[in-house]
Amino acid sequence: MSNGNEGRNLHFIEEIVEEDIRTGKHGGRILTRFPPEPNGYLHIGHAKSICLNFGLAKKYNGKCNLRFDDTNPVTEDVEYVDSIKEDIRWLGFDWEDREFFASDYFQQLFDWAILLIKKGVAYVDDCSADEVSASRGTPTRPGKESPFRNRSVEENLDLFIRMSKGEFPDGTKVLRAKIDMASPNMHMRDPVMYRIKHAHHHRTGDKWCIYPMYDYAHGQCDFIENITHSVCTLEFEVHKPLYDWFLDNIIDDPGVNKSRTRQYEFARLNLNYTVMSKRMLLKLVKENYVNGWDDPRMPTISGLRRRGYTSGSIRDFADRVGVAKRENIIDIGLLEFCIREDLNKKAQRLMAVINPLKVVIENYPEGVTEELEAVNNPEDESMGTRKVPFSRVIYIEKDDFMEEPPKKFFRLSPGSEVRLRYAYFMKCTDVVKNGAGEITELRCTYDPESKGGKSPDGRKVKSTIHWVSAEHAIEAEVRLYDRLFVKENPYEAEEGKTFVDNLNPDSLKTVTGYIEPFAKGSKPLDKFQFERIGYFCLDPDSSGNKLIFNRTVTLKDSWAKITSKEC
RNA sequence: UGCCUCGUGGUGUAAUUGGCAACACGUCUGACUCUGGAUCAGAAGAGUUCAGGUUCGAGCCCUGACGAGGCAGCCA
């Protein structure tokens, strides 16, 4: 199921790779890279990129490097480096010993900058950030050349070296590539290569006070690592001429140039009912709209993991959404489909009641407990069976009873008979209410002949409901998660409002659930199907005497569909 | 009024490189079922943004419109 797309049509990057292999462009060698910036946690969009890059390597007998794009020390942190590594590993990919950092190459990048200065294609500019920005022009108007553009090579060399030695404060000078201030491509208008930042870097410490910009670093890092296919998202499309320009000016070996790394762009993943921008996710975390990066409502990989998603389901998802250049918004329902499909085959079944209604079975003897046999997973016989205790007082789901049932309601109602899963047929004889007229309890009778749920005389019931023995059930906290935003496109907000105003106030509901004793001893992230309700996993916050379950996703519910259609 | 990229069922992705559009999700039927789950069978839904052109034949090629996204960080 997961990332095996054999027999399927190739996407455009696979086509390029196969063509390159066919023509022997890189001697048949394939080396991709995943280049995250360690300034936030990875999200499902990154998962698409990870699956693409590592997947390409796997499929074509190549390798994929992990390279942290750590060229901006003020936003980056080791916390993020660690989480990123954990997430990639959890997704099932291995970069072996090829763990790199752009900062590993700072010296080489610096030396190449010197080379470009000597070639007369890079210069030190004393203009302020505002001045540089003002003289850059606009997409429709050409920019103006900096007054410092024509400094001598000697002066540029001297200034740049002094920049690197810390002689100038932040923001007073930059190194720029001398390209074309009138280029229709904004990125070619003398882009900044280095800026001064007297900041502590998580790896190089205080060794440097000048840091390369993305554009100057990325292509050269790819080149140093001998990457064959540098795959990135669409917004970098306009950077490609610059990517090539730097390499053209640094490498003048025609033999090397022939098989040089090339950049290819694909459309990033977008999901409805959530946001995917690291900046916005950071805001949700920092301003406590959610409980951290791994909040189960977050589209982060760590959030999805804690929500109960399996890595296989995410790989399957990445496979299903495809790779193309067209902007896309994937329905979150597809992600839900993927996890249901995976968990249906794997998850241990359990009976749990999350909205309890007490039922007394009047003709069942008091003080008696029976152990009834239940199937652990009807999709996988090898998972065996378990015993579930049954007694006179049980809980059933409030939703499974209606005093005045509509026509299509098959569950319990006064006088009707249902099957208690793996137990007995049961009939409701009386409804007990409190002063406010709310139903507080049901009085029922069972048919002792129907033990195990088999009809004694061949009579049928329209429905089977789940239950839990009141005396034996474990109380647990159950966290019912729903989509994070109420709007398909969270950014669509009225005047003066922002995406946080579209947060779903009901994205988390916490209830007390009653779960069959089997749940005891489960470990964090263990996955279950609470029969007829949904898939759940044990939250890592659980302790020995307090179990917490996260709802991963509900089961498909055709009754809910009927009711929602009628109102 | 610049440059780049992209327009195929509701959503995504295909179409052997010119032979009357396929797959998945979703939707809707029905069958089966000790989960209104799962499974199985079936159906509806696009004539490919539009207009011209080339061709026996165009989603694929050409021209021109229109629409969407990206680009004006010393972010990546």
Side-chain angles (χ1 to χ4, degrees):
Chain A
M1 165 192 56
S2 59
N3 54 351
N5 45 13
E6 300 82 14
R8 230 191 49 190
N9 295 299
L10 302 178
H11 62 243
F12 78 101
I13 297 179
E14 290 172 325
E15 262 167 21
I16 290 165
V17 169
E18 292 200 359
E19 177 66 13
D20 289 346
I21 290 172
R22 196 161 34 241
T23 60
K25 184 171 177 189
H26 307 282
R29 188 179 58 90
I30 298 300
L31 214 215
T32 55
R33 105 266 91 115
F34 175 63
E37 184 190 10
N39 68 345
Y41 279 60
L42 259 26
H43 54 61
I44 181 84
H46 294 109
K48 174 179 178 179
S49 175
I50 291 166
C51 291
L52 211 207
N53 280 295
F54 281 91
L56 240 22
K58 192 172 185 179
K59 179 167 181 179
Y60 296 106
N61 257 304
K63 302 279 185 192
C64 180
N65 293 354
L66 170 59
R67 180 169 74 232
F68 290 95
D69 219 331
D70 55 350
T71 56
N72 186 0
V74 306
T75 55
E76 295 155 6
D77 196 280
V78 278
E79 176 198 350
Y80 299 125
V81 171
D82 294 340
S83 76
I84 288 168
K85 290 200 280 191
E86 184 188 355
D87 288 347
I88 300 171
R89 245 182 246 120
W90 177 75
L91 273 175
F93 298 104
D94 186 6
W95 56 94
E96 298 169 322
D97 58 347
R98 298 178 312 284
E99 178 174 313
F100 303 119
F101 292 80
S103 54
D104 295 342
Y105 313 128
F106 280 175
Q107 184 60 50
Q108 175 66 265
L109 259 10
F110 178 82
D111 293 344
W112 276 333
I114 299 281
L115 172 75
L116 294 180
I117 292 171
K118 286 180 176 165
K119 284 178 102 169
V121 294
Y123 64 96
V124 172
D125 194 342
D126 296 358
C127 289
S128 69
D130 286 345
E131 287 165 334
V132 168
S133 159
S135 64
R136 197 181 325 269
T138 70
T140 53
R141 295 190 104 78
K144 286 193 207 58
E145 295 188 350
S146 162
F148 303 97
R149 197 173 198 258
N150 294 309
R151 291 216 251 231
S152 69
V153 168
E154 293 67 33
E155 190 183 2
N156 281 322
L157 230 33
D158 172 62
L159 256 17
F160 183 56
I161 287 167
R162 286 167 59 199
M163 272 168 71
S164 75
K165 286 184 175 160
E167 289 188 25
F168 310 112
D170 288 9
T172 54
K173 283 182 170 44
V174 288
L175 182 70
R176 290 228 254 170
K178 192 192 278 192
I179 308 180
D180 177 8
M181 288 308 290
S183 170
N185 182 339
M186 298 291 290
H187 297 278
M188 299 300 271
R189 323 242 263 228
D190 290 12
V192 172
M193 292 167 60
Y194 273 92
R195 70 289 214 198
I196 302 170
K197 278 178 192 280
H198 291 268
H200 187 83
H201 188 280
H202 71 107
R203 299 206 97 217
T204 60
D206 298 312
K207 182 173 179 202
W208 297 92
C209 64
I210 57 169
Y211 291 93
M213 298 286 289
Y214 166 86
D215 282 309
Y216 177 63
H218 205 90
Q220 280 68 262
C221 292
D222 285 343
F223 177 75
I224 291 166
E225 293 178 14
N226 242 300
I227 300 298
T228 58
H229 301 264
S230 182
V231 181
C232 63
T233 44
L234 250 29
E235 68 270 27
F236 293 101
E237 206 146 31
V238 282
H239 295 238
K240 184 146 64 180
L242 183 53
Y243 181 103
D244 290 331
W245 187 92
F246 281 124
L247 257 14
D248 287 344
N249 280 278
I250 287 169
I251 302 136
D252 50 14
D253 178 342
V256 173
N257 274 321
K258 224 164 113 187
S259 68
R260 217 168 67 194
T261 172
R262 274 201 63 181
Q263 174 184 303
Y264 300 96
E265 311 86 11
F266 71 100
R268 59 156 14 101
L269 172 73
N270 295 292
L271 268 185
N272 58 12
Y273 295 105
T274 191
V275 294
M276 210 71 94
S277 126
K278 269 202 230 173
R279 234 185 83 220
M280 299 311 168
L281 294 175
L282 180 65
K283 184 182 168 78
L284 294 177
V285 172
K286 282 262 153 74
E287 296 176 19
N288 296 311
Y289 291 107
V290 296
N291 304 312
W293 286 98
D294 69 342
D295 185 299
R297 291 166 293 184
M298 291 282 273
T300 50
I301 294 176
S302 51
L304 290 166
R305 177 168 59 230
R306 188 168 175 183
R307 175 83 170 246
Y309 275 79
T310 57
S311 56
S313 71
I314 292 174
R315 274 181 266 125
D316 181 35
F317 175 73
D319 214 47
R320 286 170 186 271
V321 299
V323 177
K325 299 194 77 155
R326 195 186 322 163
E327 297 280 347
N328 60 81
I329 301 169
I330 308 290
D331 191 330
I332 192 131
L334 183 63
L335 221 207
E336 295 175 346
F337 165 83
C338 292
I339 188 58
R340 281 194 191 103
E341 184 168 78
D342 195 19
L343 257 20
N344 175 47
K345 296 192 190 90
K346 296 184 191 156
Q348 164 76 41
R349 308 292 133 118
L350 241 41
M351 289 200 283
V353 172
I354 59 172
N355 188 12
L357 175 58
K358 185 179 171 189
V359 172
V360 177
I361 303 166
E362 294 187 304
N363 60 339
Y364 194 88
E366 290 187 53
V368 170
T369 299
E370 280 183 279
E371 296 285 330
L372 302 170
E373 188 169 58
V375 173
N376 285 334
N377 186 346
E379 305 291 319
D380 181 359
E381 213 180 302
S382 74
M383 286 178 71
T385 61
R386 68 184 185 284
K387 297 289 187 187
V388 187
F390 182 80
S391 63
R392 182 176 147 96
V393 181
I394 61 172
Y395 293 127
I396 65 167
E397 215 65 64
K398 250 186 194 134
D399 296 344
D400 284 341
F401 176 80
M402 277 186 103
E403 198 171 11
E404 288 163 24
K407 209 164 174 205
K408 289 180 190 152
F409 186 82
F410 304 149
R411 282 111 93 151
L412 193 64
S413 57
S416 80
E417 189 175 44
V418 295
R419 172 167 37 230
L420 295 174
R421 182 143 231 228
Y422 300 125
Y424 295 97
F425 283 19
M426 181 182 82
K427 215 177 261 187
C428 173
T429 54
D430 205 8
V431 180
V432 181
K433 294 181 184 176
N434 64 14
E438 294 157 343
I439 300 170
T440 55
E441 184 181 317
L442 259 28
R443 309 300 278 193
C444 294
T445 58
Y446 83 116
D447 175 359
E449 299 298 306
S450 62
K451 180 163 180 176
K454 289 175 194 69
S455 44
D457 51 9
R459 74 180 189 276
K460 302 260 184 195
V461 287
K462 275 196 284 188
S463 169
T464 299
I465 65 172
H466 62 275
W467 53 273
V468 95
S469 166
E471 178 192 341
H472 307 276
I474 308 172
E475 251 187 64
E477 179 176 326
V478 179
R479 297 176 179 169
L480 303 172
Y481 293 105
D482 200 353
R483 42 189 57 150
L484 226 203
F485 291 91
V486 291
K487 283 208 165 198
E488 266 196 55
N489 173 8
Y491 296 115
E492 196 178 90
E494 299 162 28
E495 271 289 307
K497 298 202 167 185
T498 71
F499 78 108
V500 299
D501 295 293
N502 289 325
L503 248 6
N504 178 7
D506 299 319
S507 60
L508 168 58
K509 267 188 251 175
T510 301
V511 299
T512 299
Y514 298 85
I515 306 174
E516 61 168 284
F518 188 90
K520 245 180 263 170
S522 39
K523 290 184 278 301
L525 265 28
D526 276 355
K527 288 152 184 73
F528 301 97
Q529 182 197 101
F530 290 175
E531 294 217 25
R532 303 208 305 132
I533 303 176
Y535 294 100
F536 291 78
C537 79
L538 193 76
D539 190 90
D541 279 353
S542 301
S543 62
N545 51 3
K546 181 172 187 191
L547 298 185
I548 301 169
F549 287 94
N550 295 326
R551 181 171 70 196
T552 308
V553 67
T554 60
L555 246 34
K556 276 213 271 182
D557 186 349
S558 49
W559 170 242
K561 205 174 271 178
I562 292 167
T563 51
S564 72
K565 245 186 273 176
E566 280 168 2
C567 50

